[in-house]
Amino acid sequence: MTDIQPGVYEHYKGKKYFVLGLSRNTETNEVCVVYRPLYETDWPQLVHRNASMFFESVTVEGRQVPRFRKID
């Protein structure tokens, strides 16, 4: 994955996040998605997840759904 559209994404568990874009870990060369939660948290406002995990599907009630889906 080398591109992502910024915007609002919904996690399969229902919480919403604003995706800013991609980053690259300079030590491992791993591509990550940088985003911030659209709800109040007690942890840092900018977070990242490796892109392969962000874009993977998960099994929910016996069916495959995207971990995150763009909603705007």
Side-chain angles (χ1 to χ4, degrees), residues 20-54:
L20 300 166
L22 297 176
S23 67
R24 183 173 301 276
N25 182 312
T26 58
E27 297 296 319
T28 66
N29 216 28
E30 178 181 44
V31 175
C32 294
V33 177
V34 179
Y35 55 100
R36 64 179 173 82
L38 293 176
Y39 57 90
E40 193 169 322
T41 71
D42 60 351
W43 39 278
Q45 289 300 301
L46 287 180
V47 294
H48 73 268
R49 179 185 297 254
N50 64 37
S52 60
M53 183 181 281
F54 187 92

